[in-house]
Amino acid sequence: MTKGQAKDAGSTQVAAGKDRVVIFDTTLRDGEQCPGATMTLDEKLQVADVLDAMGVDIIEAGFPIASNGDFEAVSLIAERVKNATVAGLARAGNKDIDRCAEAVRKARRPRIHTFISTSPVHMKWKLQMEPAQVYEMVVASVSRARNHVEDVEWSCEDGTRTEHDFLCRCVEAAIKAGATTINIPDTVGYTAPEEYGALFKMVRERVPNSDKAVFSVHCHDDLGMAVANSLAGISGGARQVECTVNGIGERAGNAALEEVVMALRTRGDIFPYDTGIDASMLTRASKLVSAVTSFPVQYNKAIVGRNAFAHESGIHQDGMLKHTQTYEIMTPESVGVSKTSLVMGKHSGRNAFRDKLKQLGYALADNQLEDAFVRFKELADRKKHVYDEDIEALVDEKLATAEDRIKVLSLLVIAGTMGPQVATLTLDMDGEHRTVQATGNGPVDATFNAIHALVPHEAQLELYQVHAVTEGTDAQAEVSVHLGVDGKSFSGRAAHPDTMVASAKAYLAALNKLAARQDRVHAHSAEEVA
Ligand code: KIV
Ligand code: ZN
């Protein structure tokens, strides 16, 4: 495989000889504890199911002592999760640890995650404890947790601002007391990649029993470096990453799970590590977490943002049409997005426009394409989003007027107080002249009934609007008509000093567009069959 080449969707398997990085998801704990992200019990269960199905190794389901709701959520998740280890968070006190043990009791693989602050600022101001007291609590809390479960994680809160000697002493004591995972969090998002990577190297080298535990990264995004720091921690020897879907979490959030997973996968050349994550579920997980928390996903968010696989610049679209690897380092399918989208806008070029028309079923001659492209550019200059429907309308309008199959030849309407109103209409229909007389509830109704009698159709009248183009009683009437069928809308517009004539012409303009589209769809499907 060449450098920067996208891997295919199936390459998440652990490759022989590669180190495994364990994914610890804390969307339901660190993620849920951020302002506004509260989830109901049912929502937490849905998220846990998706995380488990996606291959997350450890789901931190909540903080059981925090509330009865949290306790219940952790207990129920512990009971239902099939594959992942289920962890609960506990401070260093006995009550916290016992409550947490009770909550994770029914998990196939229960974990207690206990923590205490070790930095000078936290010990002095938050805990108001001396380092020696903190040290004692590390030993006591880990030992107590270990009496409940075999799998105990210990975190030194504010680890990146902790003095190295004290940090190493605490880590050694925690491992001696039975901790199987040691997490060194960058609680306040303060560290930088080089420093964080070096911290893990230092601790692993200096702590004599460091080989008895798995080291873990836990990064916050206050300086926008959470993912970069997490990856640097892995390079420094950590083999567990704590992260959240969409990067939700305290303040600026945690490292985003989808970014960590795809960075490891896409840059396997510099990060030779595998995860057990089925990356094709990343988009689904992101959408679920966004929906249940009501936290929108930033449009340009890496991996799961709606623009992550969208290209608008003409140069990029041209490159993409020639070879997707020109501008994509991952395939959209590999993260669960069905396809790349070439967003049509003012930066799009001719090639992308031609390709879009082809997708929409148009086969235009070169001069027609050129004409449509000019009108598309004019529209894109005026309109922020140019949707497929806009392009269809733009082309259909031109095709319809060039090839109008039905035209008004004459119209006579009798109106007034002595109803019913009567319309006598003659149409040119593909060269054949046909006349009908119809009545209606008013002159417009009579005219439209006459059209319906000559051109039977399923479309519903969605809009009928008249406005005077100029002032005065001789003003041109401009009429707009929208006809809807099968969820699509066809618009027609016409102007005439006689409002009834303008109405008939506008209605027929919409019908002509509808007919042009139906012809095009039939021709396209006949081509596909052939
Ligand atoms: O950020 C942090 O330090 C934490 C700990 C509880 C692990 O979330
Ligand atoms: Zn945190």
mmCIF file of all heavy atoms in Angstrom, residues 150-199:
data_model
loop_
_atom_site.group_PDB
_atom_site.id
_atom_site.type_symbol
_atom_site.label_atom_id
_atom_site.label_comp_id
_atom_site.label_asym_id
_atom_site.label_seq_id
_atom_site.Cartn_x
_atom_site.Cartn_y
_atom_site.Cartn_z
ATOM 1 N N GLU A 150 -11.367 -8.017 40.589
ATOM 2 C CA GLU A 150 -9.964 -8.241 40.195
ATOM 3 C C GLU A 150 -9.418 -7.126 39.314
ATOM 4 O O GLU A 150 -8.219 -6.919 39.217
ATOM 5 C CB GLU A 150 -9.863 -9.547 39.410
ATOM 6 C CG GLU A 150 -9.958 -10.747 40.312
ATOM 7 C CD GLU A 150 -9.650 -12.022 39.582
ATOM 8 O OE1 GLU A 150 -9.427 -11.986 38.359
ATOM 9 O OE2 GLU A 150 -9.651 -13.063 40.260
ATOM 10 N N ASP A 151 -10.364 -6.475 38.620
ATOM 11 C CA ASP A 151 -9.950 -5.472 37.644
ATOM 12 C C ASP A 151 -10.118 -4.074 38.259
ATOM 13 O O ASP A 151 -11.242 -3.564 38.390
ATOM 14 C CB ASP A 151 -10.844 -5.641 36.397
ATOM 15 C CG ASP A 151 -10.417 -4.758 35.248
ATOM 16 O OD1 ASP A 151 -9.601 -3.849 35.456
ATOM 17 O OD2 ASP A 151 -10.929 -4.971 34.129
ATOM 18 N N VAL A 152 -8.993 -3.488 38.664
ATOM 19 C CA VAL A 152 -9.055 -2.174 39.319
ATOM 20 C C VAL A 152 -8.187 -1.180 38.552
ATOM 21 O O VAL A 152 -7.021 -1.448 38.248
ATOM 22 C CB VAL A 152 -8.575 -2.256 40.788
ATOM 23 C CG1 VAL A 152 -8.480 -0.869 41.416
ATOM 24 C CG2 VAL A 152 -9.509 -3.142 41.605
ATOM 25 N N GLU A 153 -8.806 -0.037 38.253
ATOM 26 C CA GLU A 153 -8.038 1.039 37.599
ATOM 27 C C GLU A 153 -7.845 2.155 38.608
ATOM 28 O O GLU A 153 -8.784 2.543 39.314
ATOM 29 C CB GLU A 153 -8.823 1.554 36.375
ATOM 30 C CG GLU A 153 -8.184 2.794 35.770
ATOM 31 C CD GLU A 153 -8.792 3.192 34.428
ATOM 32 O OE1 GLU A 153 -9.354 2.318 33.732
ATOM 33 O OE2 GLU A 153 -8.709 4.387 34.092
ATOM 34 N N TRP A 154 -6.649 2.678 38.632
ATOM 35 C CA TRP A 154 -6.389 3.819 39.507
ATOM 36 C C TRP A 154 -5.947 5.020 38.670
ATOM 37 O O TRP A 154 -5.103 4.894 37.775
ATOM 38 C CB TRP A 154 -5.291 3.502 40.537
ATOM 39 C CG TRP A 154 -4.995 4.713 41.393
ATOM 40 C CD1 TRP A 154 -5.782 5.223 42.375
ATOM 41 C CD2 TRP A 154 -3.861 5.568 41.298
ATOM 42 N NE1 TRP A 154 -5.218 6.352 42.904
ATOM 43 C CE2 TRP A 154 -4.033 6.585 42.262
ATOM 44 C CE3 TRP A 154 -2.723 5.585 40.491
ATOM 45 C CZ2 TRP A 154 -3.110 7.618 42.450
ATOM 46 C CZ3 TRP A 154 -1.797 6.608 40.669
ATOM 47 C CH2 TRP A 154 -1.987 7.612 41.652
ATOM 48 N N SER A 155 -6.566 6.178 38.973
ATOM 49 C CA SER A 155 -6.213 7.412 38.265
ATOM 50 C C SER A 155 -5.685 8.447 39.235
ATOM 51 O O SER A 155 -6.268 8.659 40.318
ATOM 52 C CB SER A 155 -7.448 8.021 37.598
ATOM 53 O OG SER A 155 -7.821 7.283 36.483
ATOM 54 N N CYS A 156 -4.602 9.119 38.826
ATOM 55 C CA CYS A 156 -4.071 10.237 39.614
ATOM 56 C C CYS A 156 -4.641 11.504 38.970
ATOM 57 O O CYS A 156 -4.129 11.958 37.944
ATOM 58 C CB CYS A 156 -2.552 10.247 39.551
ATOM 59 S SG CYS A 156 -1.899 9.894 37.910
ATOM 60 N N GLU A 157 -5.711 12.014 39.551
ATOM 61 C CA GLU A 157 -6.349 13.178 38.924
ATOM 62 C C GLU A 157 -5.346 14.337 38.842
ATOM 63 O O GLU A 157 -4.545 14.535 39.750
ATOM 64 C CB GLU A 157 -7.599 13.599 39.707
ATOM 65 C CG GLU A 157 -8.431 14.572 38.898
ATOM 66 C CD GLU A 157 -9.649 15.117 39.639
ATOM 67 O OE1 GLU A 157 -9.893 14.716 40.787
ATOM 68 O OE2 GLU A 157 -10.332 15.966 39.049
ATOM 69 N N ASP A 158 -5.399 15.078 37.750
ATOM 70 C CA ASP A 158 -4.458 16.167 37.464
ATOM 71 C C ASP A 158 -3.024 15.639 37.385
ATOM 72 O O ASP A 158 -2.067 16.316 37.777
ATOM 73 C CB ASP A 158 -4.584 17.287 38.508
ATOM 74 C CG ASP A 158 -4.130 18.647 37.956
ATOM 75 O OD1 ASP A 158 -3.969 18.765 36.722
ATOM 76 O OD2 ASP A 158 -3.917 19.566 38.759
ATOM 77 N N GLY A 159 -2.918 14.428 36.834
ATOM 78 C CA GLY A 159 -1.614 13.750 36.754
ATOM 79 C C GLY A 159 -0.552 14.543 36.027
ATOM 80 O O GLY A 159 0.632 14.492 36.392
ATOM 81 N N THR A 160 -0.956 15.299 34.992
ATOM 82 C CA THR A 160 0.065 16.005 34.195
ATOM 83 C C THR A 160 0.632 17.225 34.936
ATOM 84 O O THR A 160 1.629 17.800 34.497
ATOM 85 C CB THR A 160 -0.497 16.457 32.836
ATOM 86 O OG1 THR A 160 -1.726 17.151 33.055
ATOM 87 C CG2 THR A 160 -0.739 15.275 31.922
ATOM 88 N N ARG A 161 -0.013 17.633 36.046
ATOM 89 C CA ARG A 161 0.554 18.744 36.828
ATOM 90 C C ARG A 161 1.081 18.230 38.183
ATOM 91 O O ARG A 161 1.168 18.980 39.155
ATOM 92 C CB ARG A 161 -0.487 19.852 37.011
ATOM 93 C CG ARG A 161 -0.830 20.538 35.691
ATOM 94 C CD ARG A 161 -1.593 21.820 35.904
ATOM 95 N NE ARG A 161 -2.877 21.582 36.570
ATOM 96 C CZ ARG A 161 -3.654 22.554 37.041
ATOM 97 N NH1 ARG A 161 -3.275 23.823 36.926
ATOM 98 N NH2 ARG A 161 -4.802 22.263 37.630
ATOM 99 N N THR A 162 1.359 16.931 38.221
ATOM 100 C CA THR A 162 1.843 16.311 39.461
ATOM 101 C C THR A 162 3.371 16.237 39.439
ATOM 102 O O THR A 162 3.966 16.010 38.376
ATOM 103 C CB THR A 162 1.228 14.894 39.578
ATOM 104 O OG1 THR A 162 -0.190 15.032 39.674
ATOM 105 C CG2 THR A 162 1.743 14.125 40.776
ATOM 106 N N GLU A 163 3.996 16.425 40.629
ATOM 107 C CA GLU A 163 5.469 16.326 40.687
ATOM 108 C C GLU A 163 5.878 14.888 40.369
ATOM 109 O O GLU A 163 5.255 13.935 40.861
ATOM 110 C CB GLU A 163 5.957 16.704 42.081
ATOM 111 C CG GLU A 163 5.918 18.197 42.288
ATOM 112 C CD GLU A 163 6.175 18.593 43.732
ATOM 113 O OE1 GLU A 163 6.335 17.695 44.592
ATOM 114 O OE2 GLU A 163 6.218 19.807 43.973
ATOM 115 N N HIS A 164 6.930 14.759 39.551
ATOM 116 C CA HIS A 164 7.281 13.424 39.044
ATOM 117 C C HIS A 164 7.612 12.421 40.142
ATOM 118 O O HIS A 164 7.173 11.266 40.082
ATOM 119 C CB HIS A 164 8.419 13.530 38.035
ATOM 120 C CG HIS A 164 7.954 14.132 36.735
ATOM 121 N ND1 HIS A 164 8.746 14.244 35.621
ATOM 122 C CD2 HIS A 164 6.750 14.659 36.377
ATOM 123 C CE1 HIS A 164 8.058 14.805 34.643
ATOM 124 N NE2 HIS A 164 6.849 15.074 35.105
ATOM 125 N N ASP A 165 8.356 12.856 41.158
ATOM 126 C CA ASP A 165 8.737 11.897 42.217
ATOM 127 C C ASP A 165 7.485 11.365 42.908
ATOM 128 O O ASP A 165 7.340 10.158 43.127
ATOM 129 C CB ASP A 165 9.635 12.573 43.275
ATOM 130 C CG ASP A 165 11.047 12.791 42.735
ATOM 131 O OD1 ASP A 165 11.336 12.255 41.636
ATOM 132 O OD2 ASP A 165 11.833 13.498 43.406
ATOM 133 N N PHE A 166 6.591 12.292 43.238
ATOM 134 C CA PHE A 166 5.368 11.874 43.950
ATOM 135 C C PHE A 166 4.498 10.993 43.048
ATOM 136 O O PHE A 166 3.932 9.982 43.496
ATOM 137 C CB PHE A 166 4.599 13.117 44.425
ATOM 138 C CG PHE A 166 3.417 12.788 45.298
ATOM 139 C CD1 PHE A 166 3.580 12.067 46.481
ATOM 140 C CD2 PHE A 166 2.131 13.180 44.929
ATOM 141 C CE1 PHE A 166 2.482 11.747 47.286
ATOM 142 C CE2 PHE A 166 1.040 12.862 45.727
ATOM 143 C CZ PHE A 166 1.210 12.147 46.904
ATOM 144 N N LEU A 167 4.437 11.374 41.785
ATOM 145 C CA LEU A 167 3.647 10.589 40.830
ATOM 146 C C LEU A 167 4.162 9.138 40.790
ATOM 147 O O LEU A 167 3.387 8.173 40.904
ATOM 148 C CB LEU A 167 3.720 11.232 39.441
ATOM 149 C CG LEU A 167 2.997 10.514 38.301
ATOM 150 C CD1 LEU A 167 1.494 10.486 38.542
ATOM 151 C CD2 LEU A 167 3.285 11.187 36.960
ATOM 152 N N CYS A 168 5.477 9.006 40.658
ATOM 153 C CA CYS A 168 6.054 7.650 40.557
ATOM 154 C C CYS A 168 5.798 6.852 41.832
ATOM 155 O O CYS A 168 5.472 5.661 41.775
ATOM 156 C CB CYS A 168 7.557 7.728 40.280
ATOM 157 S SG CYS A 168 7.902 8.302 38.605
ATOM 158 N N ARG A 169 5.914 7.513 42.978
ATOM 159 C CA ARG A 169 5.677 6.793 44.252
ATOM 160 C C ARG A 169 4.233 6.313 44.340
ATOM 161 O O ARG A 169 3.944 5.192 44.747
ATOM 162 C CB ARG A 169 6.008 7.709 45.439
ATOM 163 C CG ARG A 169 7.523 7.788 45.672
ATOM 164 C CD ARG A 169 7.885 8.614 46.905
ATOM 165 N NE ARG A 169 7.057 8.286 48.054
ATOM 166 C CZ ARG A 169 6.436 9.189 48.837
ATOM 167 N NH1 ARG A 169 6.540 10.443 48.610
ATOM 168 N NH2 ARG A 169 5.702 8.821 49.854
ATOM 169 N N CYS A 170 3.302 7.190 43.943
ATOM 170 C CA CYS A 170 1.870 6.810 43.995
ATOM 171 C C CYS A 170 1.567 5.678 43.021
ATOM 172 O O CYS A 170 0.832 4.742 43.349
ATOM 173 C CB CYS A 170 0.981 8.015 43.691
ATOM 174 S SG CYS A 170 0.959 9.228 45.000
ATOM 175 N N VAL A 171 2.129 5.771 41.812
ATOM 176 C CA VAL A 171 1.862 4.727 40.803
ATOM 177 C C VAL A 171 2.378 3.389 41.315
ATOM 178 O O VAL A 171 1.683 2.361 41.262
ATOM 179 C CB VAL A 171 2.517 5.101 39.444
ATOM 180 C CG1 VAL A 171 2.507 3.924 38.481
ATOM 181 C CG2 VAL A 171 1.812 6.304 38.820
ATOM 182 N N GLU A 172 3.585 3.408 41.866
ATOM 183 C CA GLU A 172 4.166 2.156 42.376
ATOM 184 C C GLU A 172 3.278 1.575 43.481
ATOM 185 O O GLU A 172 2.987 0.362 43.497
ATOM 186 C CB GLU A 172 5.576 2.431 42.912
ATOM 187 C CG GLU A 172 6.275 1.155 43.344
ATOM 188 C CD GLU A 172 7.689 1.391 43.906
ATOM 189 O OE1 GLU A 172 8.183 2.547 43.855
ATOM 190 O OE2 GLU A 172 8.288 0.409 44.399
ATOM 191 N N ALA A 173 2.806 2.448 44.374
ATOM 192 C CA ALA A 173 1.975 1.984 45.491
ATOM 193 C C ALA A 173 0.648 1.425 44.994
ATOM 194 O O ALA A 173 0.151 0.400 45.496
ATOM 195 C CB ALA A 173 1.726 3.146 46.454
ATOM 196 N N ALA A 174 0.077 2.101 43.989
ATOM 197 C CA ALA A 174 -1.229 1.637 43.458
ATOM 198 C C ALA A 174 -1.076 0.248 42.831
ATOM 199 O O ALA A 174 -1.910 -0.640 43.036
ATOM 200 C CB ALA A 174 -1.753 2.635 42.433
ATOM 201 N N ILE A 175 0.008 0.062 42.095
ATOM 202 C CA ILE A 175 0.208 -1.250 41.443
ATOM 203 C C ILE A 175 0.439 -2.320 42.526
ATOM 204 O O ILE A 175 -0.121 -3.420 42.473
ATOM 205 C CB ILE A 175 1.388 -1.203 40.442
ATOM 206 C CG1 ILE A 175 1.080 -0.219 39.306
ATOM 207 C CG2 ILE A 175 1.670 -2.602 39.860
ATOM 208 C CD1 ILE A 175 2.228 0.014 38.333
ATOM 209 N N LYS A 176 1.207 -1.943 43.539
ATOM 210 C CA LYS A 176 1.494 -2.893 44.627
ATOM 211 C C LYS A 176 0.196 -3.281 45.346
ATOM 212 O O LYS A 176 -0.005 -4.433 45.731
ATOM 213 C CB LYS A 176 2.466 -2.225 45.604
ATOM 214 C CG LYS A 176 3.264 -3.212 46.401
ATOM 215 C CD LYS A 176 4.481 -2.531 47.001
ATOM 216 C CE LYS A 176 4.973 -3.363 48.179
ATOM 217 N NZ LYS A 176 5.565 -2.535 49.210
ATOM 218 N N ALA A 177 -0.707 -2.296 45.451
ATOM 219 C CA ALA A 177 -1.983 -2.568 46.150
ATOM 220 C C ALA A 177 -2.962 -3.342 45.263
ATOM 221 O O ALA A 177 -4.027 -3.752 45.717
ATOM 222 C CB ALA A 177 -2.604 -1.249 46.600
ATOM 223 N N GLY A 178 -2.625 -3.515 44.007
ATOM 224 C CA GLY A 178 -3.468 -4.368 43.155
ATOM 225 C C GLY A 178 -4.071 -3.706 41.927
ATOM 226 O O GLY A 178 -4.876 -4.331 41.215
ATOM 227 N N ALA A 179 -3.709 -2.457 41.644
ATOM 228 C CA ALA A 179 -4.273 -1.819 40.438
ATOM 229 C C ALA A 179 -3.720 -2.506 39.194
ATOM 230 O O ALA A 179 -2.516 -2.764 39.100
ATOM 231 C CB ALA A 179 -3.925 -0.336 40.414
ATOM 232 N N THR A 180 -4.630 -2.802 38.245
ATOM 233 C CA THR A 180 -4.196 -3.472 37.017
ATOM 234 C C THR A 180 -4.061 -2.480 35.862
ATOM 235 O O THR A 180 -3.433 -2.778 34.854
ATOM 236 C CB THR A 180 -5.195 -4.590 36.649
ATOM 237 O OG1 THR A 180 -6.516 -4.063 36.826
ATOM 238 C CG2 THR A 180 -5.010 -5.798 37.542
ATOM 239 N N THR A 181 -4.690 -1.329 36.022
ATOM 240 C CA THR A 181 -4.552 -0.261 35.020
ATOM 241 C C THR A 181 -4.198 1.029 35.753
ATOM 242 O O THR A 181 -4.797 1.350 36.793
ATOM 243 C CB THR A 181 -5.865 -0.064 34.233
ATOM 244 O OG1 THR A 181 -6.192 -1.281 33.580
ATOM 245 C CG2 THR A 181 -5.739 1.048 33.203
ATOM 246 N N ILE A 182 -3.232 1.744 35.206
ATOM 247 C CA ILE A 182 -2.844 3.041 35.786
ATOM 248 C C ILE A 182 -3.140 4.116 34.748
ATOM 249 O O ILE A 182 -2.585 4.110 33.645
ATOM 250 C CB ILE A 182 -1.334 3.081 36.126
ATOM 251 C CG1 ILE A 182 -0.981 2.025 37.183
ATOM 252 C CG2 ILE A 182 -0.910 4.487 36.567
ATOM 253 C CD1 ILE A 182 -1.554 2.278 38.563
ATOM 254 N N ASN A 183 -4.028 5.017 35.123
ATOM 255 C CA ASN A 183 -4.422 6.101 34.224
ATOM 256 C C ASN A 183 -3.764 7.403 34.686
ATOM 257 O O ASN A 183 -3.855 7.750 35.870
ATOM 258 C CB ASN A 183 -5.953 6.211 34.255
ATOM 259 C CG ASN A 183 -6.475 7.274 33.315
ATOM 260 O OD1 ASN A 183 -5.937 7.481 32.239
ATOM 261 N ND2 ASN A 183 -7.542 7.951 33.722
ATOM 262 N N ILE A 184 -3.096 8.069 33.759
ATOM 263 C CA ILE A 184 -2.492 9.374 34.117
ATOM 264 C C ILE A 184 -3.236 10.446 33.328
ATOM 265 O O ILE A 184 -2.895 10.738 32.172
ATOM 266 C CB ILE A 184 -0.979 9.412 33.809
ATOM 267 C CG1 ILE A 184 -0.282 8.197 34.439
ATOM 268 C CG2 ILE A 184 -0.362 10.725 34.297
ATOM 269 C CD1 ILE A 184 1.239 8.144 34.230
ATOM 270 N N PRO A 185 -4.276 11.019 33.922
ATOM 271 C CA PRO A 185 -5.096 11.960 33.149
ATOM 272 C C PRO A 185 -4.482 13.347 33.008
ATOM 273 O O PRO A 185 -3.799 13.830 33.908
ATOM 274 C CB PRO A 185 -6.392 12.056 33.967
ATOM 275 C CG PRO A 185 -6.209 11.235 35.180
ATOM 276 C CD PRO A 185 -4.776 10.824 35.283
ATOM 277 N N ASP A 186 -4.780 13.931 31.854
ATOM 278 C CA ASP A 186 -4.480 15.351 31.672
ATOM 279 C C ASP A 186 -5.810 16.053 31.947
ATOM 280 O O ASP A 186 -6.503 16.531 31.051
ATOM 281 C CB ASP A 186 -4.007 15.609 30.238
ATOM 282 C CG ASP A 186 -3.623 17.063 30.022
ATOM 283 O OD1 ASP A 186 -3.187 17.715 31.002
ATOM 284 O OD2 ASP A 186 -3.778 17.565 28.894
ATOM 285 N N THR A 187 -6.157 16.095 33.211
ATOM 286 C CA THR A 187 -7.481 16.532 33.669
ATOM 287 C C THR A 187 -7.874 17.908 33.144
ATOM 288 O O THR A 187 -9.035 18.161 32.840
ATOM 289 C CB THR A 187 -7.488 16.524 35.215
ATOM 290 O OG1 THR A 187 -7.108 15.204 35.627
ATOM 291 C CG2 THR A 187 -8.829 16.890 35.790
ATOM 292 N N VAL A 188 -6.902 18.809 33.062
ATOM 293 C CA VAL A 188 -7.237 20.185 32.690
ATOM 294 C C VAL A 188 -6.803 20.533 31.256
ATOM 295 O O VAL A 188 -6.778 21.703 30.884
ATOM 296 C CB VAL A 188 -6.634 21.191 33.703
ATOM 297 C CG1 VAL A 188 -7.371 21.126 35.021
ATOM 298 C CG2 VAL A 188 -5.144 20.926 33.928
ATOM 299 N N GLY A 189 -6.449 19.529 30.479
ATOM 300 C CA GLY A 189 -6.090 19.769 29.075
ATOM 301 C C GLY A 189 -4.892 20.670 28.923
ATOM 302 O O GLY A 189 -4.852 21.537 28.050
ATOM 303 N N TYR A 190 -3.873 20.454 29.768
ATOM 304 C CA TYR A 190 -2.734 21.379 29.871
ATOM 305 C C TYR A 190 -1.495 20.901 29.131
ATOM 306 O O TYR A 190 -0.675 21.688 28.679
ATOM 307 C CB TYR A 190 -2.436 21.536 31.367
ATOM 308 C CG TYR A 190 -1.270 22.417 31.706
ATOM 309 C CD1 TYR A 190 -1.360 23.796 31.559
ATOM 310 C CD2 TYR A 190 -0.088 21.867 32.202
ATOM 311 C CE1 TYR A 190 -0.289 24.611 31.889
ATOM 312 C CE2 TYR A 190 0.985 22.678 32.545
ATOM 313 C CZ TYR A 190 0.881 24.053 32.382
ATOM 314 O OH TYR A 190 1.929 24.850 32.710
ATOM 315 N N THR A 191 -1.389 19.591 28.975
ATOM 316 C CA THR A 191 -0.131 19.061 28.435
ATOM 317 C C THR A 191 -0.042 19.235 26.920
ATOM 318 O O THR A 191 -0.986 19.715 26.272
ATOM 319 C CB THR A 191 0.054 17.583 28.846
ATOM 320 O OG1 THR A 191 1.423 17.202 28.654
ATOM 321 C CG2 THR A 191 -0.834 16.645 28.049
ATOM 322 N N ALA A 192 1.089 18.849 26.364
ATOM 323 C CA ALA A 192 1.295 18.883 24.907
ATOM 324 C C ALA A 192 1.891 17.525 24.512
ATOM 325 O O ALA A 192 2.470 16.837 25.359
ATOM 326 C CB ALA A 192 2.240 20.018 24.543
ATOM 327 N N PRO A 193 1.744 17.146 23.228
ATOM 328 C CA PRO A 193 2.110 15.777 22.849
ATOM 329 C C PRO A 193 3.491 15.308 23.320
ATOM 330 O O PRO A 193 3.616 14.248 23.934
ATOM 331 C CB PRO A 193 2.006 15.802 21.325
ATOM 332 C CG PRO A 193 0.970 16.836 21.048
ATOM 333 C CD PRO A 193 1.158 17.880 22.100
ATOM 334 N N GLU A 194 4.508 16.094 23.040
ATOM 335 C CA GLU A 194 5.864 15.631 23.385
ATOM 336 C C GLU A 194 6.006 15.388 24.886
ATOM 337 O O GLU A 194 6.557 14.385 25.334
ATOM 338 C CB GLU A 194 6.863 16.691 22.933
ATOM 339 C CG GLU A 194 8.154 16.100 22.424
ATOM 340 C CD GLU A 194 9.040 17.167 21.816
ATOM 341 O OE1 GLU A 194 8.562 17.911 20.938
ATOM 342 O OE2 GLU A 194 10.195 17.264 22.262
ATOM 343 N N GLU A 195 5.449 16.337 25.646
ATOM 344 C CA GLU A 195 5.566 16.250 27.103
ATOM 345 C C GLU A 195 4.801 15.032 27.639
ATOM 346 O O GLU A 195 5.285 14.302 28.508
ATOM 347 C CB GLU A 195 4.989 17.539 27.702
ATOM 348 C CG GLU A 195 5.064 17.614 29.205
ATOM 349 C CD GLU A 195 4.390 18.867 29.725
ATOM 350 O OE1 GLU A 195 3.132 18.923 29.729
ATOM 351 O OE2 GLU A 195 5.101 19.797 30.114
ATOM 352 N N TYR A 196 3.615 14.800 27.083
ATOM 353 C CA TYR A 196 2.773 13.705 27.598
ATOM 354 C C TYR A 196 3.400 12.343 27.259
ATOM 355 O O TYR A 196 3.442 11.437 28.089
ATOM 356 C CB TYR A 196 1.377 13.823 26.985
ATOM 357 C CG TYR A 196 0.270 13.069 27.717
ATOM 358 C CD1 TYR A 196 0.109 13.171 29.095
ATOM 359 C CD2 TYR A 196 -0.632 12.277 27.008
ATOM 360 C CE1 TYR A 196 -0.921 12.501 29.749
ATOM 361 C CE2 TYR A 196 -1.670 11.607 27.646
ATOM 362 C CZ TYR A 196 -1.807 11.722 29.018
ATOM 363 O OH TYR A 196 -2.835 11.071 29.658
ATOM 364 N N GLY A 197 3.916 12.232 26.041
ATOM 365 C CA GLY A 197 4.577 10.974 25.640
ATOM 366 C C GLY A 197 5.763 10.695 26.560
ATOM 367 O O GLY A 197 5.957 9.569 27.032
ATOM 368 N N ALA A 198 6.544 11.768 26.843
ATOM 369 C CA ALA A 198 7.738 11.608 27.691
ATOM 370 C C ALA A 198 7.336 11.234 29.121
ATOM 371 O O ALA A 198 8.055 10.484 29.803
ATOM 372 C CB ALA A 198 8.536 12.911 27.691
ATOM 373 N N LEU A 199 6.206 11.727 29.572
ATOM 374 C CA LEU A 199 5.744 11.422 30.933
ATOM 375 C C LEU A 199 5.537 9.900 31.097
ATOM 376 O O LEU A 199 5.937 9.301 32.092
ATOM 377 C CB LEU A 199 4.438 12.176 31.219
ATOM 378 C CG LEU A 199 3.847 12.024 32.614
ATOM 379 C CD1 LEU A 199 4.737 12.696 33.668
ATOM 380 C CD2 LEU A 199 2.450 12.658 32.685
#
